[in-house]
């Protein structure tokens, strides 16, 4: 079951959080105030009582030495209690207070008079009401003998009613102030919550546009906080999706173009044979076979690329000597290069060890594709120099051919599928625009790197680096 809070918008959640936070702060302040009053004021009053009661004990002992009993204090206390009772009944009538010189001597302050307690030597109350063990007391000592105890009622009991009234008044004032401050906080919090949620609302609308296929949706980024970083990530995602969409369209168009040409040729030649324009001869059948082979190669290349993208292209990794694989590849293509009047040169430092974990068949395909690329696009007479070196923990293979070269834009895109340096899609060179893309996938499968650069011989240079320590 979903929590009802989940149905609110984020600005409502932020507003509720801010308001609840203020309420919690107000309640906490009220609790701290009560605790401070209880611990602070009452503790302070108790310390004063402890110091004053010692003086009361000394004064009471001096009076006891004169009267030798507590009757004088009991008499004065009764007179004072009767006067208070009479005064309460006759509020409008002025009545002089009785003379209580001994009580005045013990506690001149009216603050202590209503709190005064007197116990006999048996700890029984003589003046005032209070339990001996629950009040502050001090023994009255005369000639090293305890003749009684003086005490004061607890400050808590005395101020309880006054405290409750005071706290009630302060609470009412505090609640009014808190309500006012809460309204101010709410008025400030609502626009703040809207301001904080605005980037998220923009991002939600942009995400919906992106989901609907509008890959031009972008966010205006301001600031450097987490929401700004999220907005930048969104723009990067939209840009990547837009680029992927264009690449997919281009890939479909290029695939259709590459397959349409051999199919059109096959159809045209077969129809010509049916109409009798072209006779069915070994030469005409061989032409059909070559177009079929060319179309099969395109399909095989596309299949390899799609298998690599899906992660289903397998690599049989085993210890392999790269120098031997490279030598075998060069040897298999030497005659072809000689027929094309392109000089083929291989440079290998025989002192180095070139063994690593690799798929030898894939490496042979890699080197063959790179050599075929140079064979197709290098002007005759030309040259191709292949250099194998070992640098630190990587093996480096460089392919450098002679002119023509490539410009900077072409150099950055030659590893894309179906991309050719020439603008037109003519097939005179025999290229399908997939060879270097397959090479890039093979290198990725071996955790290596490949980059293109301008060859010192005036053509294209391709540098391959393969790590010696393969990691899954």
């Amino acid at each position: 079951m979903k929590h009802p809070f989940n149905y609110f918008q984020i600005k409502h959640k932020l507003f509720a959080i801010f308001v609840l936070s203020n309420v919690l702060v107000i309640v906490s302040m009220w609790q701290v105030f009560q605790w401070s009053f209880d611990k602070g004021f009452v503790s302070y009053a108790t310390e004063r009582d402890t110091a004053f009661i010692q003086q009361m004990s000394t004064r009471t002992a001096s009076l006891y030495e004169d009267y030798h009993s507590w009757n004088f204090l009991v008499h004065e206390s009764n007179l004072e209690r009767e006067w208070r009772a009479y005064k309460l009944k006759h509020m409008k009538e002025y009545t002089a207070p009785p003379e209580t010189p001994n009580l005045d001597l013990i506690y001149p302050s009216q603050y202590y008079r209503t709190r005064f307690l007197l116990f006999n030597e048996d700890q029984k109350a003589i003046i005032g009401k209070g339990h001996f063990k629950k009040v502050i007391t001090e023994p009255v000592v005369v000639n090293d003998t305890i003749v009684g105890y003086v005490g004061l009622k607890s400050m808590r009991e005395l101020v309880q009613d006054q405290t409750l009234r005071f706290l009630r008044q302060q609470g009412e004032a505090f609640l009014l102030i808190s309500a006012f401050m809460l309204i101010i906080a709410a008025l400030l919090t609502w626009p703040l919550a809207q301001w904080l949620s605005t980037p998220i609302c923009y991002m939600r609308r942009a995400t919906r546009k992106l989901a609907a296929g509008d890959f031009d949706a972008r966010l205006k980024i301001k600031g450097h906080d987490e929401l700004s970083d999220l907005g930048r990530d969104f723009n990067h995602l939209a840009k990547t999706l837009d680029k992927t969409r264009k690449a997919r369209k281009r890939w479909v168009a290029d695939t259709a173009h590459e397959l349409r040409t051999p199919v059109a040729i096959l159809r045209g030649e077969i129809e010509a044979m049916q109409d009798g324009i072209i006779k069915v001869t070994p030469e005409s059948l061989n032409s059909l076979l070559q177009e079929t082979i060319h179309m099969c190669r395109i399909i095989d290349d596309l299949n390899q690329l799609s298998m690599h993208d899906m992660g289903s292209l397998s690599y049989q990794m085993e210890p392999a000597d790269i120098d031997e694989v490279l030598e075998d590849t060069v040897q298999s293509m030497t005659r072809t290069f000689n027929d094309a009047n392109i000089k083929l040169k291989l440079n290998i430092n025989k002192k180095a060890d070139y063994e690593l974990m690799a798929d030898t068949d894939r490496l042979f395909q890699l080197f063959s594709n790179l050599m075929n690329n140079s064979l197709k696009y290098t002007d005759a007479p030309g040259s191709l120099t292949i250099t194998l070196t070992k640098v630190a923990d990587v093996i480096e293979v460089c392919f450098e051919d002679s002119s023509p070269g490539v410009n900077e834009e072409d150099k950055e895109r030659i590893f894309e599928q179906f991309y050719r340096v020439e603008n037109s899609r003519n097939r005179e060179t025999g290229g399908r625009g997939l060879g270097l893309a397959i090479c890039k996938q093979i290198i990725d499968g071996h955790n290596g790197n490949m980059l293109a650069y301008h060859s010192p011989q005036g053509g294209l240079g391709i540098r391959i680096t393969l790590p010696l320590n393969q990691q899954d």
Side-chain angles (χ1 to χ4, degrees):
M1 182 177 179
K2 292 185 178 179
H3 196 278
F5 194 69
N6 295 331
Y7 292 99
F8 290 98
Q9 295 182 2
I10 190 169
K11 61 182 178 182
H12 298 143
K13 294 180 181 179
L14 289 173
F15 179 74
I17 290 172
F18 288 146
V19 171
L20 290 176
S21 299
N22 283 299
V23 172
L24 290 176
V25 170
I26 291 172
V27 173
S28 300
M29 290 176 62
W30 176 243
Q31 294 295 329
V32 170
F33 170 75
Q34 288 184 315
W35 176 85
S36 177
F37 179 84
D38 185 62
K39 296 296 182 181
F41 176 73
V42 175
S43 298
Y44 168 73
T46 302
E47 291 177 0
R48 288 184 58 191
D49 290 349
T50 303
F52 185 74
I53 201 171
Q54 295 176 356
Q55 300 179 12
M56 292 172 59
S57 174
T58 303
R59 294 169 184 171
T60 305
S62 299
L63 292 174
Y64 187 87
E65 289 179 353
D66 295 335
Y67 293 96
H68 303 288
S69 71
W70 297 117
N71 294 332
F72 70 100
L73 288 180
V74 174
H75 175 69
E76 292 184 5
S77 178
N78 291 335
L79 290 176
E80 188 174 61
R81 185 172 62 255
E82 292 173 358
W83 171 77
R84 285 199 183 92
Y86 182 83
K87 186 176 180 181
L88 288 174
K89 293 181 180 180
H90 304 82
M91 296 293 295
K92 297 181 179 180
E93 181 181 343
Y94 174 75
T95 305
E99 295 184 0
T100 55
N102 294 308
L103 289 177
D104 293 341
L105 179 64
I106 295 175
Y107 42 79
S109 173
Q110 289 294 330
Y111 170 72
Y112 291 100
R113 184 158 296 197
T114 56
R115 300 176 58 200
F116 179 71
L117 298 172
L118 180 64
F119 299 89
N120 61 14
E121 63 274 12
D122 296 328
Q123 300 179 356
K124 294 182 179 180
I126 300 174
I127 298 177
K129 296 180 180 179
H131 195 279
F132 180 81
K133 294 182 179 180
K134 295 182 179 180
V135 297
I136 303 173
T137 59
E138 186 72 18
V140 180
V141 181
V142 177
N143 297 325
D144 298 329
T145 302
I146 297 178
V147 297
Y149 299 87
V150 292
L152 290 172
K153 289 183 179 179
S154 172
M155 185 64 186
R156 295 177 183 272
E157 296 180 6
L158 179 66
V159 303
Q160 185 176 12
D161 295 337
Q162 298 176 351
T163 301
L164 291 176
R165 185 169 57 254
F166 171 76
L167 290 177
R168 190 180 301 110
Q169 294 173 350
Q170 294 299 315
E172 293 174 356
F174 187 81
L175 288 176
L176 289 176
I177 296 174
S178 299
F180 177 75
M181 296 303 297
L182 192 60
I183 293 174
I184 296 297
L187 293 176
L188 295 176
T189 299
W190 179 248
L192 178 62
Q194 286 185 315
W195 176 72
L196 288 175
S197 62
T198 296
I200 300 177
C201 294
Y202 288 154
M203 193 172 301
R204 181 183 62 181
R205 288 194 290 266
T207 303
R208 289 178 177 177
K209 290 182 180 179
L210 195 63
D214 183 6
F215 295 98
D216 294 328
R218 296 292 186 275
L219 293 172
K220 294 182 179 179
I221 307 301
K222 295 181 180 179
H224 300 279
D225 56 7
E226 290 81 357
L227 289 177
S228 300
D229 292 339
L230 183 60
R232 294 186 184 91
D233 293 339
F234 174 87
N235 288 342
H236 179 71
L237 173 63
K239 184 178 180 180
T240 303
L241 290 175
D242 187 33
K243 184 178 180 181
T244 303
R245 177 180 63 90
K246 292 178 180 178
R248 179 177 57 83
K249 287 184 177 181
R250 186 175 66 249
W251 187 88
V252 172
D254 291 341
T255 302
H257 174 82
E258 289 294 327
L259 293 177
R260 185 186 300 114
T261 302
V263 170
I265 294 174
L266 283 173
R267 178 181 177 181
E269 292 186 359
I270 292 174
E271 289 178 348
M273 290 179 184
Q274 290 177 338
D275 295 338
I277 299 175
I278 298 178
K279 295 182 179 181
V280 179
T281 62
E283 290 77 11
S284 61
L285 291 177
N286 184 64
S287 176
L288 295 178
L289 177 62
Q290 294 301 319
E291 292 300 329
T292 304
I293 293 174
H294 182 77
M295 189 165 55
C296 289
R297 288 175 179 173
I298 294 176
I299 294 173
D300 290 341
D301 290 345
L302 290 173
N303 182 57
Q304 287 192 35
L305 290 173
S306 62
M307 290 178 63
H308 186 279
D309 291 339
M310 292 186 298
S312 58
L313 184 62
S314 61
Y315 290 88
Q316 302 297 326
M317 296 297 186
E318 59 184 2
D321 292 321
I322 302 301
D323 54 338
E324 294 181 1
V325 177
L326 189 57
E327 288 176 343
D328 292 341
T329 310
V330 171
Q331 183 177 1
S332 66
M333 299 192 67
T334 299
R335 182 175 179 179
T336 305
F337 272 78
N338 291 335
D339 294 341
N341 196 18
I342 297 176
K343 184 178 180 181
L344 184 59
K345 183 179 182 181
L346 176 62
N347 297 324
I348 299 178
N349 182 7
K350 294 296 185 179
K351 296 181 180 179
D353 181 16
Y354 300 102
E355 182 178 343
L356 52 70
M357 296 298 294
D359 187 327
T360 54
D361 293 336
R362 296 298 179 189
L363 289 181
F364 187 91
Q365 181 184 9
L366 166 69
F367 298 147
S368 298
N369 284 352
L370 292 175
M371 294 176 68
N372 275 318
N373 185 75
S374 295
L375 184 65
K376 295 167 186 175
Y377 292 100
T378 302
D379 294 339
S383 63
L384 170 64
T385 302
I386 304 174
T387 305
L388 176 63
T389 57
K390 182 178 180 181
V391 181
D393 57 347
V394 298
I395 292 177
E396 187 177 279
V397 186
C398 294
F399 291 77
E400 298 175 342
D401 57 29
S402 56
S403 59
V406 296
N407 56 37
E408 289 295 329
E409 180 181 359
D410 292 331
K411 183 167 65 68
E412 299 297 330
R413 299 185 57 190
I414 60 174
F415 299 118
E416 296 180 9
Q417 298 174 13
F418 293 114
Y419 185 80
R420 292 185 185 143
V421 173
E422 63 266 34
N423 293 327
S424 63
R425 293 289 183 174
N426 67 66
R427 295 162 43 84
E428 294 178 0
T429 60
R432 299 182 297 277
L434 294 173
L436 293 182
I438 294 175
C439 292
K440 184 67 171 60
Q441 303 289 24
I442 295 174
I443 290 298
D444 291 341
H446 287 78
N447 297 321
N449 292 307
M450 183 189 321
L451 61 88
Y453 60 95
H454 296 295
S455 170
Q457 302 180 38
L460 176 66
I462 294 179
R463 180 181 293 109
I464 298 171
T465 55
L466 296 171
L468 291 175
N469 298 321
Q470 295 287 339
Q471 298 178 353
D472 295 335

